[in-house]
Amino acid sequence: MPHIVIISASVRIGRNSHRVALYFKKFLEEQKTATCEILDLTTYNFPVFHERLQHQDSPSTEVLEFANKIKTSDGVIIVTPEYNGGYPASLKNVVDLLYPEWRRKPIAIATASDGSFGGAQVITSLQFSLWKIRAWTVPAMFPVPKVQNSFDQEGNPADKAVTDKRATGFINELLWCMEANKRMAK
Ligand SMILES: Cc1cc2nc3c(=O)[nH]c(=O)nc-3n(C[C@H](O)[C@H](O)[C@H](O)COP(=O)(O)O)c2cc1C
């Protein structure tokens, strides 16, 4: 079974977008199409970027572990909030940290905000950074408006039928790219 890692990007005190990461984990487990785990940037608590991993003399075990989880995954879901029209520093921190690990990695981007637009403005800047670093961003969106009302703290959606339908389309695009990647690697 393919393996997907979910990067939960918000490290804000009282964050709400983590609910979306919890939801995707449950959804993938229910669907049984992939194994998955959440890489929580709050738990990793990385220092502000000082050098790329490949140029660090003595990287921490946490950095090495994170890099290995990205490298060995078949696909990535990034769950990011929108801050002032962009993505949070915590996420740029790990985008810049790695390099070969991102190459051709299928990445699906889910965005969240407490307003009506679901963090959709994040897409352009994040997609550009991931394109620059030679990742493979999947052409699918999963904007979550009013995130605090759309999911409870455990990641259960307020409207499961509608949310699961949207998630199916989003995840199917990611799975397609993961399969294409696997076949090209043969
Ligand atoms: C510094 C900061 C900037 C924000 N900027 C925006 C914004 O540009 N657009 C928006 O829709 N919401 C914005 N918000 C509201 C967030 O979408 C909302 O707090 C959401 O819950 C963020 O995810 P989080 O709770 O995981 O941090 C901002 C919040 C913060 C803390």
Side-chain angles (χ1 to χ4, degrees), residues 142-165:
F142 195 89
V144 180
K146 299 194 180 356
V147 61
Q148 68 283 4
N149 302 331
S150 303
F151 294 89
D152 70 14
Q153 288 200 355
E154 282 75 47
N156 300 305
D159 188 336
K160 183 161 165 52
V162 168
T163 310
D164 283 359
K165 191 167 178 224

PDB file of all heavy atoms in Angstrom, residues 142-165:
ATOM      1  N   PHE A 142      -8.091  22.000  -2.026  1.00  0.00           N
ATOM      2  CA  PHE A 142      -8.981  21.633  -0.926  1.00  0.00           C
ATOM      3  C   PHE A 142      -9.029  22.817   0.034  1.00  0.00           C
ATOM      4  O   PHE A 142      -8.436  22.789   1.110  1.00  0.00           O
ATOM      5  CB  PHE A 142      -8.511  20.358  -0.226  1.00  0.00           C
ATOM      6  CG  PHE A 142      -9.553  19.729   0.661  1.00  0.00           C
ATOM      7  CD1 PHE A 142     -10.460  18.801   0.159  1.00  0.00           C
ATOM      8  CD2 PHE A 142      -9.661  20.089   2.002  1.00  0.00           C
ATOM      9  CE1 PHE A 142     -11.438  18.234   0.971  1.00  0.00           C
ATOM     10  CE2 PHE A 142     -10.630  19.526   2.822  1.00  0.00           C
ATOM     11  CZ  PHE A 142     -11.511  18.601   2.312  1.00  0.00           C
ATOM     12  N   PRO A 143      -9.720  23.896  -0.377  1.00  0.00           N
ATOM     13  CA  PRO A 143      -9.826  25.041   0.521  1.00  0.00           C
ATOM     14  C   PRO A 143     -10.870  24.787   1.618  1.00  0.00           C
ATOM     15  O   PRO A 143     -11.926  24.225   1.336  1.00  0.00           O
ATOM     16  CB  PRO A 143     -10.290  26.182  -0.412  1.00  0.00           C
ATOM     17  CG  PRO A 143     -10.973  25.505  -1.551  1.00  0.00           C
ATOM     18  CD  PRO A 143     -10.406  24.115  -1.659  1.00  0.00           C
ATOM     19  N   VAL A 144     -10.539  25.147   2.841  1.00  0.00           N
ATOM     20  CA  VAL A 144     -11.469  24.978   3.964  1.00  0.00           C
ATOM     21  C   VAL A 144     -11.824  26.334   4.551  1.00  0.00           C
ATOM     22  O   VAL A 144     -11.049  26.914   5.315  1.00  0.00           O
ATOM     23  CB  VAL A 144     -10.859  24.076   5.068  1.00  0.00           C
ATOM     24  CG1 VAL A 144     -11.855  23.909   6.225  1.00  0.00           C
ATOM     25  CG2 VAL A 144     -10.467  22.713   4.516  1.00  0.00           C
ATOM     26  N   PRO A 145     -12.991  26.882   4.191  1.00  0.00           N
ATOM     27  CA  PRO A 145     -13.437  28.137   4.803  1.00  0.00           C
ATOM     28  C   PRO A 145     -13.933  27.881   6.231  1.00  0.00           C
ATOM     29  O   PRO A 145     -14.342  26.763   6.545  1.00  0.00           O
ATOM     30  CB  PRO A 145     -14.596  28.597   3.904  1.00  0.00           C
ATOM     31  CG  PRO A 145     -14.744  27.581   2.829  1.00  0.00           C
ATOM     32  CD  PRO A 145     -13.958  26.374   3.217  1.00  0.00           C
ATOM     33  N   LYS A 146     -13.898  28.911   7.044  1.00  0.00           N
ATOM     34  CA  LYS A 146     -14.421  28.834   8.425  1.00  0.00           C
ATOM     35  C   LYS A 146     -14.004  27.514   9.097  1.00  0.00           C
ATOM     36  O   LYS A 146     -14.836  26.738   9.590  1.00  0.00           O
ATOM     37  CB  LYS A 146     -15.941  28.966   8.418  1.00  0.00           C
ATOM     38  CG  LYS A 146     -16.426  30.303   7.836  1.00  0.00           C
ATOM     39  CD  LYS A 146     -17.865  30.550   8.150  1.00  0.00           C
ATOM     40  CE  LYS A 146     -18.445  31.844   7.614  1.00  0.00           C
ATOM     41  NZ  LYS A 146     -17.640  32.802   6.923  1.00  0.00           N
ATOM     42  N   VAL A 147     -12.718  27.296   9.108  1.00  0.00           N
ATOM     43  CA  VAL A 147     -12.186  26.004   9.568  1.00  0.00           C
ATOM     44  C   VAL A 147     -12.640  25.651  10.979  1.00  0.00           C
ATOM     45  O   VAL A 147     -12.880  24.484  11.289  1.00  0.00           O
ATOM     46  CB  VAL A 147     -10.639  25.978   9.428  1.00  0.00           C
ATOM     47  CG1 VAL A 147      -9.959  27.041  10.269  1.00  0.00           C
ATOM     48  CG2 VAL A 147     -10.068  24.609   9.738  1.00  0.00           C
ATOM     49  N   GLN A 148     -12.808  26.661  11.821  1.00  0.00           N
ATOM     50  CA  GLN A 148     -13.194  26.419  13.221  1.00  0.00           C
ATOM     51  C   GLN A 148     -14.601  25.842  13.329  1.00  0.00           C
ATOM     52  O   GLN A 148     -14.932  25.182  14.316  1.00  0.00           O
ATOM     53  CB  GLN A 148     -13.043  27.709  14.048  1.00  0.00           C
ATOM     54  CG  GLN A 148     -14.004  28.840  13.714  1.00  0.00           C
ATOM     55  CD  GLN A 148     -13.649  29.604  12.438  1.00  0.00           C
ATOM     56  OE1 GLN A 148     -12.717  29.266  11.727  1.00  0.00           O
ATOM     57  NE2 GLN A 148     -14.410  30.655  12.137  1.00  0.00           N
ATOM     58  N   ASN A 149     -15.439  26.086  12.300  1.00  0.00           N
ATOM     59  CA  ASN A 149     -16.802  25.537  12.316  1.00  0.00           C
ATOM     60  C   ASN A 149     -16.926  24.282  11.444  1.00  0.00           C
ATOM     61  O   ASN A 149     -17.864  23.508  11.603  1.00  0.00           O
ATOM     62  CB  ASN A 149     -17.815  26.574  11.785  1.00  0.00           C
ATOM     63  CG  ASN A 149     -17.789  27.854  12.593  1.00  0.00           C
ATOM     64  OD1 ASN A 149     -17.483  27.820  13.779  1.00  0.00           O
ATOM     65  ND2 ASN A 149     -18.085  28.971  11.959  1.00  0.00           N
ATOM     66  N   SER A 150     -15.997  24.112  10.514  1.00  0.00           N
ATOM     67  CA  SER A 150     -16.121  23.021   9.540  1.00  0.00           C
ATOM     68  C   SER A 150     -15.675  21.675  10.094  1.00  0.00           C
ATOM     69  O   SER A 150     -16.085  20.623   9.590  1.00  0.00           O
ATOM     70  CB  SER A 150     -15.296  23.339   8.291  1.00  0.00           C
ATOM     71  OG  SER A 150     -15.708  24.563   7.738  1.00  0.00           O
ATOM     72  N   PHE A 151     -14.809  21.715  11.117  1.00  0.00           N
ATOM     73  CA  PHE A 151     -14.307  20.469  11.732  1.00  0.00           C
ATOM     74  C   PHE A 151     -14.261  20.668  13.242  1.00  0.00           C
ATOM     75  O   PHE A 151     -13.963  21.771  13.716  1.00  0.00           O
ATOM     76  CB  PHE A 151     -12.880  20.155  11.250  1.00  0.00           C
ATOM     77  CG  PHE A 151     -12.795  19.839   9.783  1.00  0.00           C
ATOM     78  CD1 PHE A 151     -12.611  20.846   8.851  1.00  0.00           C
ATOM     79  CD2 PHE A 151     -12.913  18.529   9.330  1.00  0.00           C
ATOM     80  CE1 PHE A 151     -12.540  20.570   7.492  1.00  0.00           C
ATOM     81  CE2 PHE A 151     -12.849  18.237   7.968  1.00  0.00           C
ATOM     82  CZ  PHE A 151     -12.656  19.258   7.056  1.00  0.00           C
ATOM     83  N   ASP A 152     -14.489  19.586  13.997  1.00  0.00           N
ATOM     84  CA  ASP A 152     -14.277  19.699  15.441  1.00  0.00           C
ATOM     85  C   ASP A 152     -12.794  19.443  15.759  1.00  0.00           C
ATOM     86  O   ASP A 152     -11.991  19.178  14.854  1.00  0.00           O
ATOM     87  CB  ASP A 152     -15.228  18.767  16.220  1.00  0.00           C
ATOM     88  CG  ASP A 152     -14.907  17.283  16.056  1.00  0.00           C
ATOM     89  OD1 ASP A 152     -13.797  16.941  15.569  1.00  0.00           O
ATOM     90  OD2 ASP A 152     -15.761  16.447  16.419  1.00  0.00           O
ATOM     91  N   GLN A 153     -12.454  19.498  17.024  1.00  0.00           N
ATOM     92  CA  GLN A 153     -11.038  19.409  17.411  1.00  0.00           C
ATOM     93  C   GLN A 153     -10.399  18.068  17.082  1.00  0.00           C
ATOM     94  O   GLN A 153      -9.178  17.969  16.972  1.00  0.00           O
ATOM     95  CB  GLN A 153     -10.887  19.696  18.906  1.00  0.00           C
ATOM     96  CG  GLN A 153     -11.118  21.154  19.212  1.00  0.00           C
ATOM     97  CD  GLN A 153     -10.523  21.586  20.537  1.00  0.00           C
ATOM     98  OE1 GLN A 153     -10.011  20.766  21.293  1.00  0.00           O
ATOM     99  NE2 GLN A 153     -10.568  22.866  20.828  1.00  0.00           N
ATOM    100  N   GLU A 154     -11.221  17.038  16.938  1.00  0.00           N
ATOM    101  CA  GLU A 154     -10.689  15.706  16.582  1.00  0.00           C
ATOM    102  C   GLU A 154     -10.630  15.504  15.073  1.00  0.00           C
ATOM    103  O   GLU A 154     -10.257  14.425  14.610  1.00  0.00           O
ATOM    104  CB  GLU A 154     -11.542  14.595  17.215  1.00  0.00           C
ATOM    105  CG  GLU A 154     -11.265  14.364  18.697  1.00  0.00           C
ATOM    106  CD  GLU A 154     -11.867  15.446  19.567  1.00  0.00           C
ATOM    107  OE1 GLU A 154     -13.040  15.782  19.365  1.00  0.00           O
ATOM    108  OE2 GLU A 154     -11.145  15.990  20.427  1.00  0.00           O
ATOM    109  N   GLY A 155     -11.058  16.501  14.321  1.00  0.00           N
ATOM    110  CA  GLY A 155     -11.002  16.383  12.860  1.00  0.00           C
ATOM    111  C   GLY A 155     -12.243  15.782  12.243  1.00  0.00           C
ATOM    112  O   GLY A 155     -12.223  15.368  11.076  1.00  0.00           O
ATOM    113  N   ASN A 156     -13.328  15.740  13.001  1.00  0.00           N
ATOM    114  CA  ASN A 156     -14.589  15.252  12.422  1.00  0.00           C
ATOM    115  C   ASN A 156     -15.285  16.411  11.709  1.00  0.00           C
ATOM    116  O   ASN A 156     -15.497  17.463  12.306  1.00  0.00           O
ATOM    117  CB  ASN A 156     -15.510  14.704  13.524  1.00  0.00           C
ATOM    118  CG  ASN A 156     -14.870  13.548  14.267  1.00  0.00           C
ATOM    119  OD1 ASN A 156     -14.468  12.561  13.661  1.00  0.00           O
ATOM    120  ND2 ASN A 156     -14.728  13.692  15.581  1.00  0.00           N
ATOM    121  N   PRO A 157     -15.649  16.205  10.421  1.00  0.00           N
ATOM    122  CA  PRO A 157     -16.265  17.299   9.678  1.00  0.00           C
ATOM    123  C   PRO A 157     -17.709  17.545  10.094  1.00  0.00           C
ATOM    124  O   PRO A 157     -18.412  16.596  10.470  1.00  0.00           O
ATOM    125  CB  PRO A 157     -16.195  16.813   8.220  1.00  0.00           C
ATOM    126  CG  PRO A 157     -16.057  15.335   8.290  1.00  0.00           C
ATOM    127  CD  PRO A 157     -15.435  14.994   9.611  1.00  0.00           C
ATOM    128  N   ALA A 158     -18.140  18.801  10.016  1.00  0.00           N
ATOM    129  CA  ALA A 158     -19.530  19.135  10.347  1.00  0.00           C
ATOM    130  C   ALA A 158     -20.474  18.455   9.366  1.00  0.00           C
ATOM    131  O   ALA A 158     -21.543  18.004   9.746  1.00  0.00           O
ATOM    132  CB  ALA A 158     -19.718  20.652  10.324  1.00  0.00           C
ATOM    133  N   ASP A 159     -20.065  18.397   8.101  1.00  0.00           N
ATOM    134  CA  ASP A 159     -20.882  17.715   7.080  1.00  0.00           C
ATOM    135  C   ASP A 159     -20.015  16.630   6.432  1.00  0.00           C
ATOM    136  O   ASP A 159     -19.260  16.901   5.490  1.00  0.00           O
ATOM    137  CB  ASP A 159     -21.368  18.736   6.045  1.00  0.00           C
ATOM    138  CG  ASP A 159     -22.377  18.120   5.078  1.00  0.00           C
ATOM    139  OD1 ASP A 159     -22.359  16.877   4.903  1.00  0.00           O
ATOM    140  OD2 ASP A 159     -23.174  18.881   4.497  1.00  0.00           O
ATOM    141  N   LYS A 160     -20.105  15.416   6.962  1.00  0.00           N
ATOM    142  CA  LYS A 160     -19.190  14.345   6.524  1.00  0.00           C
ATOM    143  C   LYS A 160     -19.411  13.947   5.066  1.00  0.00           C
ATOM    144  O   LYS A 160     -18.440  13.743   4.327  1.00  0.00           O
ATOM    145  CB  LYS A 160     -19.339  13.121   7.447  1.00  0.00           C
ATOM    146  CG  LYS A 160     -18.364  12.005   7.108  1.00  0.00           C
ATOM    147  CD  LYS A 160     -18.178  11.028   8.248  1.00  0.00           C
ATOM    148  CE  LYS A 160     -17.516   9.725   7.814  1.00  0.00           C
ATOM    149  NZ  LYS A 160     -16.272   9.859   7.076  1.00  0.00           N
ATOM    150  N   ALA A 161     -20.657  13.868   4.642  1.00  0.00           N
ATOM    151  CA  ALA A 161     -20.933  13.415   3.271  1.00  0.00           C
ATOM    152  C   ALA A 161     -20.317  14.376   2.252  1.00  0.00           C
ATOM    153  O   ALA A 161     -19.613  13.949   1.317  1.00  0.00           O
ATOM    154  CB  ALA A 161     -22.437  13.283   3.060  1.00  0.00           C
ATOM    155  N   VAL A 162     -20.555  15.660   2.455  1.00  0.00           N
ATOM    156  CA  VAL A 162     -20.036  16.663   1.507  1.00  0.00           C
ATOM    157  C   VAL A 162     -18.511  16.720   1.580  1.00  0.00           C
ATOM    158  O   VAL A 162     -17.816  16.770   0.548  1.00  0.00           O
ATOM    159  CB  VAL A 162     -20.656  18.057   1.809  1.00  0.00           C
ATOM    160  CG1 VAL A 162     -19.930  19.159   1.052  1.00  0.00           C
ATOM    161  CG2 VAL A 162     -22.138  18.053   1.441  1.00  0.00           C
ATOM    162  N   THR A 163     -17.956  16.679   2.776  1.00  0.00           N
ATOM    163  CA  THR A 163     -16.505  16.775   2.944  1.00  0.00           C
ATOM    164  C   THR A 163     -15.805  15.557   2.352  1.00  0.00           C
ATOM    165  O   THR A 163     -14.782  15.688   1.663  1.00  0.00           O
ATOM    166  CB  THR A 163     -16.144  16.922   4.441  1.00  0.00           C
ATOM    167  OG1 THR A 163     -16.938  17.967   4.994  1.00  0.00           O
ATOM    168  CG2 THR A 163     -14.681  17.262   4.630  1.00  0.00           C
ATOM    169  N   ASP A 164     -16.360  14.374   2.596  1.00  0.00           N
ATOM    170  CA  ASP A 164     -15.761  13.149   2.049  1.00  0.00           C
ATOM    171  C   ASP A 164     -15.798  13.157   0.516  1.00  0.00           C
ATOM    172  O   ASP A 164     -14.861  12.676  -0.129  1.00  0.00           O
ATOM    173  CB  ASP A 164     -16.496  11.905   2.564  1.00  0.00           C
ATOM    174  CG  ASP A 164     -16.110  11.552   4.000  1.00  0.00           C
ATOM    175  OD1 ASP A 164     -15.267  12.253   4.587  1.00  0.00           O
ATOM    176  OD2 ASP A 164     -16.655  10.568   4.536  1.00  0.00           O
ATOM    177  N   LYS A 165     -16.857  13.715  -0.048  1.00  0.00           N
ATOM    178  CA  LYS A 165     -16.960  13.771  -1.513  1.00  0.00           C
ATOM    179  C   LYS A 165     -15.859  14.670  -2.085  1.00  0.00           C
ATOM    180  O   LYS A 165     -15.178  14.324  -3.055  1.00  0.00           O
ATOM    181  CB  LYS A 165     -18.344  14.295  -1.914  1.00  0.00           C
ATOM    182  CG  LYS A 165     -18.630  14.139  -3.376  1.00  0.00           C
ATOM    183  CD  LYS A 165     -20.096  14.375  -3.690  1.00  0.00           C
ATOM    184  CE  LYS A 165     -20.276  14.249  -5.198  1.00  0.00           C
ATOM    185  NZ  LYS A 165     -21.097  15.263  -5.775  1.00  0.00           N
TER     186      LYS A 165
END
